[in-house]
Amino acid sequence: MTLTLASALALLAYALAAWRGHGAQAMPWLGLGWAAQAVALLVDIGGLGDGAAGARFGVGPALSLTVWLVMAVALLEGRMLPLEALRRPLALLAAAAVALAWTLPGQSHQASSPWAPLHWALGLASYGLVGAAVLHAWLMQRAEAHLRSARPAVGPGLPLLRLERLTFQYVAGSVVVLGAALALGAWFSPRWQWDHKTVFALLSWGVLAALWLGRWRLGWRGRQAARWVYFGSALLLLSYAGSRFVLQVLLGRSV
């Protein structure tokens, strides 16, 4: 019941934020939607009222938590960067994520080790960091396109150098956090499994680490860096969310 109410409130708030569009009147509705989505995630992932021990995960909650973390970053940085144009797309994306998590709730997972909850938290945090990197890479490309275009930008411009610095800060954070999640999982797991989730996660980490090294050693930036961010994020999306979508939705298996 709590999950239903929180999800419905989040959907309503995000819909009103999208309807308000670019104006400052959208901010209170975005904040309300973000808070209601947090409650829905706590109820769903925590399994409150479910009666089963352990955390609950699935493709819906994982993607919803990723968007929630990206929304948190956007709300915080909205005080420093002109992100008005992002309010409607973010509200629509968050509403879709809430609806997906409501339709595909998490399934109970027993912790195989005392370190398993930390492994799960690091993995989900890496999704949020990569999502924030994707957001800033897109903003970076948008700012660069305005600089290259002869047409004047509408409204305040986005600071390209600051966006570039933030993009690579999130990339570096995702490399550290995702690497820690993979190392921790390999350490406490009784047997290492080369399944789709592990392979795609390792490939994603390799792409993001190569991007970070390329930035440090070769000065990669701009469109080239953005493409690497998108490619690494796509691989990470395929690792957990993608494999769980195939198993949970297409094959109908309990995961």
Side-chain angles (χ1 to χ4, degrees):
M1 184 65 177
T2 305
L3 175 61
T4 300
L5 291 175
S7 299
L9 179 59
L11 285 173
L12 176 61
Y14 284 139
L16 289 171
W19 177 57
R20 292 291 185 180
H22 304 316
Q25 293 178 336
M27 289 303 295
W29 295 115
L30 278 177
L32 177 60
W34 182 83
Q37 187 180 6
V39 174
L41 286 168
L42 285 173
V43 172
D44 193 1
I45 296 178
L48 300 182
D50 186 49
R56 288 160 41 113
F57 292 113
V59 57
L63 293 179
S64 182
L65 181 59
T66 300
V67 175
W68 182 84
L69 290 171
V70 173
M71 180 71 74
V73 171
L75 290 174
L76 289 174
E77 292 185 354
R79 301 178 181 272
M80 300 177 291
L81 297 174
L83 302 179
E84 290 83 2
L86 283 177
R87 290 176 183 171
R88 177 171 290 166
L90 281 177
L92 294 174
L93 179 63
V98 170
L100 181 64
W102 194 2
T103 306
L104 300 173
Q107 298 176 342
S108 296
H109 289 262
Q110 299 293 332
S112 58
S113 165
W115 296 100
L118 179 59
H119 168 70
W120 298 337
L122 290 173
L124 292 172
S126 68
Y127 262 72
L129 288 169
V130 171
V134 169
L135 173 66
H136 288 79
W138 180 80
L139 290 172
M140 180 178 66
Q141 281 191 294
R142 188 169 180 261
E144 185 179 9
H146 278 304
L147 289 177
R148 294 177 180 273
S149 175
R151 295 179 290 104
V154 178
L158 291 168
L160 178 58
L161 292 180
R162 180 183 294 182
L163 287 171
E164 189 176 75
R165 184 170 60 252
L166 287 170
T167 300
F168 282 98
Q169 285 176 351
Y170 285 115
V171 168
S174 64
V175 170
V176 173
V177 174
L178 179 58
L182 289 169
L184 192 62
W187 176 65
F188 74 77
S189 297
R191 184 177 58 184
W192 182 265
Q193 295 181 353
W194 288 99
D195 53 12
H196 293 83
K197 176 172 67 71
T198 301
V199 171
F200 279 119
L202 285 170
L203 289 174
S204 175
W205 183 87
V207 168
L208 295 172
L211 171 59
W212 182 74
L213 288 174
R215 163 71 170 180
W216 177 46
R217 301 285 300 199
L218 303 175
W220 290 354
R221 59 193 308 173
R223 296 179 182 178
Q224 182 184 26
R227 293 191 189 102
W228 279 74
V229 172
Y230 299 151
F231 184 47
S233 66
L235 290 172
L236 186 61
L237 185 66
L238 289 172
S239 66
Y240 181 82
S243 62
R244 289 323 184 249
F245 178 81
V246 172
L247 293 173
Q248 184 178 349
V249 179
L250 300 183
L251 299 181
R253 297 179 185 176
S254 177
V255 294

